[in-house]
Amino acid sequence: MATSSIGEIIQELTTVSDEQLAEATSRQNESGAALGQILVEMGAMSEKDLVRCLGRQWEIPFVDLEEFELDPAVVRQFPAHIIRTYRVVPLRIQDNRVTLAMENPLDIFTIDEIQMATGMTAIPWIASPSDIQMVMRQLNLVDSIGEDDFHDILTDMGEDMVEFRSTGDEEAEDEKALSMVDDAPVVKLVNMIITQALTDGASDIHIQPEAEELRVRYRVDGVLRDATKIPKGIERALISRIKILSDLNIAERRLPQDGRISLTIQGKEYDFRVSVLPAANGEKAVLRVLDKSTTQIGLEKLGFPPDLLKQFVQLIQRTYGIILVSGPTGSGKSTTLYSVLNERNSADVNIVTAEDPVEYQLPGLTQVQVGIKKELTFASALRSFLRQDPDIIMVGEIRDSETALIATEAALTGHLVLSTIHTNDAPTAVTRMIEMGIEPFLIASAVAGVLAQRLVRKVCSNCAEPYLPPERALARLGISSEDRANATFMTGYGCDRCSDTGLKGRMGIFELMAVSDPIKSMILKEAPAHEIADLAESEGMKTLLEDGLAKVMAGETTADEILRVIHAQ
């Protein structure tokens, strides 16, 4: 074993700062968790960074499977069921020795089993779990929803179960559904739907009843796409299984229900927020995937331009004022707020949050879920927070005048308040607060800045190629001939890694308006949003469209994506 400590290796191989390492060490002393995992959860480094550091500490070679070119002949020579069962990737085979990429190369029992099954000596290398999952997906060696899978499941269920339909006797139907939910085929079906969603990187799973079938769709990178269709007769058993897992009432089919599921899948813990809604053709279930690591991303990984990131970091270091994050539903506002909380979270800062619901529980924070009872609202929670000696208050959303007024008063009495607001751009946020009835002089004094954002899909790095966007798209975006000459336009032509979409993963585009003294004067005059926007732009604010164009010309996203998200005219 190497003599260097994991902390020393992390500082040598990554960009983790002394302050971040000290904070992670403090958390480790409190929780006993692994130092590297804490840094990943803080967003200070990536999973791949951690695996690389572990390889150095254990003196085991690290392989980046995104960069490694697999030899198809090696893959064909190695048993597929070994890859699937043990989650390993064969890198090379020579002289009856196989080099394997593994998640845990110290697992001597797995190595022994592989050697006994193959008759080859196994040489373990280390790779990140997500990279191994990616390769298994490319090799079609992960559980996938297909016709053969459903044929097997339907055969196991039998004709009576598949053809189970409504008879009008609800009590008898509930009894039969309850008797089916723990049967192996139903359990396998639900597990398969969830596992496939995680493999595809879905944020939401939609199980939607139609007249003659159940339609399963996944939202991947913000866009819904069909996954499969299921016979109508399985509907009651499948929805009942989800209700049981969510601790919901399977007999209640007339009212909406909300629940939560916690599962460990492929060695990783996931939470799912479940919503069941009565509809014309049955009950629709939507499962929101709550992967903690996706919301604890460092600010530097969200897609901020360097100059805007520097300005935003300076803004969130304030000790008082309101910082608003604006945008429509699904624009990544929560991810940004959680990243800010991770940035500011330390032993000497008291952070309290009011959320509806609390989706991710972060260590060191006091998080309150509002809406459980009618009297527990954002406004009532805020009043209580002010008696809890807070330094930073996060309010999930400013949606009414009462919440807006209390948040403003909290900011003016020496607290940093973080919240979201539904507006299309940054300047409109202050006029929206005026419309809520907040006095302009309070807004001018309290609001420190507004960050507007959207999420756009990135060009797939695996199949990206240079191209020239259509003239129509360039004209609509206002990209000049001079800009075109200096740009590096890229597009993805489709591959297994991006499911032939050419797009993989998402990034933010941003618009940050710091409330300067001239802007305060405009607010006091109740100037319209477009006049505030003109002033902010004259002071250097880059609009959402401008940030999007910069990312298009850098080859990070496409012109069509910007047009889709911003609806440029």
Side-chain angles (χ1 to χ4, degrees), residues 137 142-150 153 189-197 200 216 218 227-230:
R137 172 68 174 164
V142 296
D143 289 336
S144 180
I145 301 177
E147 292 183 5
D148 291 342
D149 297 298
F150 276 106
I153 291 175
L189 177 60
V190 173
N191 291 345
M192 187 180 297
I193 290 171
I194 292 175
T195 300
Q196 183 65 42
D200 289 353
V216 178
Y218 299 147
T228 192
K229 293 180 180 179
I230 300 174

Side-chain angles (χ1 to χ4, degrees), residues 408-447:
T408 302
E409 292 173 346
L412 292 174
T413 53
H415 305 90
L416 181 64
V417 179
L418 309 171
S419 191
T420 68
I421 192 166
H422 285 280
T423 60
N424 288 328
D425 56 31
T428 307
V430 294
T431 59
R432 176 64 55 83
M433 292 185 70
I434 293 175
E435 292 170 0
M436 289 181 179
I438 308 304
E439 292 291 342
F441 74 90
L442 293 176
I443 298 172
S445 301
V447 178

